[in-house]
Amino acid sequence: MESVFRNIRAECARNALSIEELSNMIGIERKTFYNWENKKDFPVSYLVKMAEIFHVPTDTILGIKPTQETVEQ
């Protein structure tokens, strides 16, 4: 889960967003984001919101690389 937060931070940097701006966009307080980061957990519903904001698939945020099987489908 630690890599997920690295990916979120990387997407923020690519999109010139601060954690505070992202937090506002997904409807939470910045403190809540940091709490999730410390606990290494967050509600999945926010994953979808972040993917929409960043215009990336949820797999990108989760750090899941496509396998050959999924590429062929």
Side-chain angles (χ1 to χ4, degrees):
M1 185 60 78
E2 192 171 305
S3 66
V4 171
F5 288 98
R6 273 197 309 267
N7 294 342
I8 292 169
R9 287 179 173 280
E11 289 300 326
C12 281
R14 277 191 270 284
N15 288 276
L17 290 173
S18 68
I19 294 301
E20 184 167 7
E21 291 169 318
L22 174 64
S23 297
N24 289 334
M25 292 173 84
I26 63 174
I28 63 169
E29 293 186 24
R30 181 186 59 175
K31 179 179 159 182
T32 301
F33 179 88
Y34 291 125
N35 286 338
W36 292 347
E37 192 171 32
N38 287 333
K39 293 178 184 176
K40 297 176 180 37
D41 193 23
F42 64 95
V44 174
S45 60
Y46 290 97
L47 173 66
V48 174
K49 288 180 182 183
M50 286 185 264
E52 290 172 353
I53 291 166
F54 298 138
H55 304 287
V56 299
T58 54
D59 288 357
T60 299
I61 295 172
L62 293 173
I64 298 172
K65 301 198 185 325
T67 63
Q68 185 62 33
E69 185 178 299
T70 57
V71 171
E72 291 172 357
Q73 294 178 358

